[in-house]
Every structure is written in structure tokens, then in C-alpha cells.
């Protein structure tokens, strides 16, 4: 095939561009009456690889996972629970902080309102906020392969205290928490939301009312992943959903 000089230059330019990581994003819209309510996950291959070669006895993965929660602003809060039950789950709650921003409140706790858990290593990524009339939270979690260190105390959000033992072991596994396999094909998650006016609160311990609707879901994490090239590192603010 004969290429003109221009075509040849175009081809060369394309070849020189770094490969774009195409993320496999697993998304569930669990409530058919509200399709704008969605939960997504993707996991870098570096994370999964760590777990396979992990020398830890519990076989738990290490490295970040990325989550995306979206919901219409007719919801006061929406939430994703990671794990099999309320008592051990890592709970991500999202509500409006202002007309343009959202609050991500990581919580734990089994009875009634979960409490803010400061041991959650989570970041709200650039791209989150109130976008086109939807609350959008794009999240990196650095310690989501097991339950976050347990809270002790009375369970109110103001005086949450991290148990020293839980913090020392990293997260989960030790005291009856869940452990999630990065390549698990039947991982347990659940979700809930409450309808209502925007909370407009930047307080991660904000008082929340009980869910109107809740449910469970099972995710095949093999459907969630993206490649990080050999020798490359994920930048701090990298957002696979962008
Ligand atoms: C915000 C304040 C909350 C209150 C006051 C509250 C209260 C309750 C109560 C009283 C129950 C038992 C009755 C029932 O099954 O309906 C319950 C169950 C449940 N809640 Fe909540 N909840 C809250 C937040 C959440 C959040 C953020 C989630 C996360 C997705 C959640 C997930 C569940 C699930 C899955 C159940 C059923 C299983 C279980 O009882 O462990 N809740 N909640």
C-alpha cells in the first residue's frame, strides 16, 4: 500500500501515542424505577496481581479499587455497602454538599445509622460533584480488600474511635471482618438510598434518615479491570471513569 507523506505522518503520530488504557467498568443499576442510580467498579491489574502473589496468609489483595456512585438529586443520600452484611461492610454514603459538590462519607457499623470511619482510606476524585443534575462520586479506595478497622465506642458519629488492634492489622480479616478476593466472581455488595431534599452538608458525620429502598447485589470482579503498563504507576489523582 502506498501512503502519501501526510498519511504516513498520521500513522506515525498514532503509533507514537501511548496506548490508552480501556477500563472494563462493571456497572449495576439496581433499581429499574430509577435508572440514574448506578454503582460501578474497576480495579487496576496491579491490584489483582498483588493478591495472586500475596504472601499474606489471608490471601487478601492490596492496592486501590475505584468506585463510582451516581444518583438523581431527588435522593437525599445513596449508599454502597461492600461486604456480606451491615456489621462488617465498608459503607460508602454520598450526599449533596452544595449545589455543585458532593460529600463522600465512609462509614461502618451494624445497627441503625452507620458511623463515620476515619480509618477508611478513600479519596473523592476530580470529576465528582453534581453533574448534569446527578450526584456523581468517583472514588479511589486504598484499603478496601477487607473490613476497615472496627469502630469502638457508643456508635455515634461524633466520637468514633479506631481500635488499636484493628488499625495495626491493616483492615479486616482479623476480627470477623470480611475479606474480598480481587478476582472473586461472586463478591457481595449491597445498596440503599433515601429520597428527599439535598442535604447540603459537607459533614462526613451528618445525621441521616433511614433508607426508603435497599437491596443486595453480586459482582463478578473479573468483569472489572484495567491495565497499568509494566513499569508505569497510577498517578495519585488518576480517574479511570473520566
Ligand atoms: C442512615 C441511617 C440508617 C438507618 C437509621 C438504618 C436503619 C436500619 C434498620 C432499622 C434496619 C432493619 C430493618 C430493615 O431491614 O428495614 C436496617 C436494615 C438494613 N440496612 Fe439500614 N439504616 C441506615 C443506613 C443504611 C445504609 C447507609 C445502608 C447501606 C447500604 C443500609 C443497609 C441496610 C441493609 C442491607 C439492611 C438489611 C440487613 C441488615 O439488617 O443487616 N442501611 N437499617
Amino acid at each position: 500500500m502506498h501512503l502519501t507523506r501526510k498519511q504516513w505522518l498520521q500513522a506515525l503520530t498514532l503509533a507514537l501515542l501511548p496506548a490508552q488504557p480501556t477500563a472494563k467498568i462493571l456497572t449495576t443499576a439496581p433499581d429499574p424505577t430509577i435508572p440514574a442510580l448506578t454503582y460501578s467498579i474497576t480495579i487496576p491489574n496491579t491490584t489483582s496481581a498483588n493478591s495472586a502473589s500475596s504472601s499474606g496468609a489471608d490471601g487478601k489483595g492490596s492496592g486501590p479499587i475505584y468506585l463510582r456512585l451516581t444518583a438523581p438529586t431527588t435522593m437525599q443520600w445513596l449508599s454502597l455497602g461492600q461486604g456480606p452484611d451491615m456489621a462488617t461492610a465498608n459503607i460508602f454514603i454520598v450526599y449533596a454538599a452544595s449545589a455543585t459538590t458532593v460529600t463522600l462519607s465512609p462509614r461502618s457499623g451494624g445497627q441503625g445509622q452507620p458511623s463515620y470511619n476515619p480509618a477508611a482510606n478513600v479519596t473523592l476524585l476530580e470529576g465528582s460533584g453534581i453533574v448534569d443534575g446527578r450526584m456523581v462520586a468517583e472514588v479511589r479506595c486504598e484499603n478496601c480488600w477487607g473490613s476497615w478497622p472496627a469502630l469502638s465506642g457508643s456508635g455515634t458519629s461524633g466520637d468514633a474511635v479506631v481500635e488499636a488492634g484493628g488499625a495495626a492489622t491493616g483492615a479486616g480479616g482479623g476480627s470477623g471482618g470480611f475479606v474480598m478476593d480481587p478476582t472473586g466472581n461472586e463478591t457481595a455488595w449491597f445498596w440503599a438510598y433515601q429520597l428527599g431534599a439535598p442535604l447540603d452538608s459537607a459533614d462526613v458525620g451528618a445525621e441521616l434518615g433511614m433508607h426508603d429502598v435497599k437491596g443486595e447485589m453480586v459482582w463478578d470482579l473479573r468483569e472489572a479491570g484495567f491495565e497499568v503498563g509494566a513499569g508505569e504507576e497510577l498517578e495519585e489523582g488518576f480517574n479511570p471513569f473520566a
Side-chain angles (χ1 to χ4, degrees):
M1 183 179 68
H2 178 75
L3 294 180
T4 65
R5 184 181 162 77
K6 195 176 160 201
Q7 285 169 326
W8 191 84
L9 280 174
Q10 275 172 347
L12 184 68
T13 312
L14 279 177
L16 291 176
L17 282 174
Q20 290 293 315
T22 41
K24 261 202 302 184
I25 294 168
L26 177 59
T27 298
T28 299
D31 186 335
T33 65
I34 307 187
L37 175 70
T38 70
Y39 298 97
S40 305
I41 184 169
T42 189
I43 302 166
N45 62 340
T46 45
T47 293
S48 305
N50 283 350
S51 78
S53 60
S54 167
S55 54
D58 58 9
K60 192 162 60 195
S62 64
I65 68 171
Y66 293 85
L67 299 166
R68 181 174 202 255
L69 292 71
T70 75
T73 47
T74 48
M75 284 182 190
Q76 190 154 85
W77 60 261
L78 70 147
S79 177
L80 174 66
Q82 181 196 17
D85 51 46
M86 285 298 284
T88 61
N90 299 333
I91 298 173
F92 301 82
I93 308 181
V94 175
Y95 36 86
S98 72
T100 55
T101 57
V102 294
T103 299
L104 169 68
S105 171
R107 303 194 188 197
S108 303
Q111 280 160 357
Q113 182 176 180
S115 302
Y116 170 64
N117 190 334
N121 189 347
V122 295
T123 310
L124 198 53
L125 298 167
E126 189 81 38
S128 305
I130 313 273
V131 185
D132 298 332
R134 283 205 293 177
M135 292 187 275
V136 176
E138 292 171 342
V139 180
R140 185 185 68 235
C141 179
E142 293 287 343
N143 60 346
C144 270
W145 292 112
S147 302
W148 294 323
L151 297 165
S152 62
S154 66
T156 56
S157 34
D159 60 1
V161 177
V162 179
E163 281 172 12
T169 55
S175 52
F178 77 88
V179 172
M180 190 163 277
D181 175 0
T183 56
N185 63 338
E186 285 189 324
T187 62
W189 302 75
F190 54 91
W191 54 274
Y193 66 79
Q194 186 194 28
L195 298 170
L199 216 53
D200 286 341
S201 172
D203 177 3
V204 289
E207 269 310 300
L208 303 175
M210 191 175 153
H211 24 76
D212 298 315
V213 182
K214 59 182 165 56
E216 296 173 359
M217 60 191 184
V218 173
W219 267 347
D220 181 350
L221 297 187
R222 297 170 307 177
E223 299 300 322
F226 64 94
E227 302 278 324
V228 181
E232 286 177 31
E233 273 188 27
L234 279 176
E235 280 172 33
E236 182 91 357
F238 178 74
N239 184 344
F241 303 107

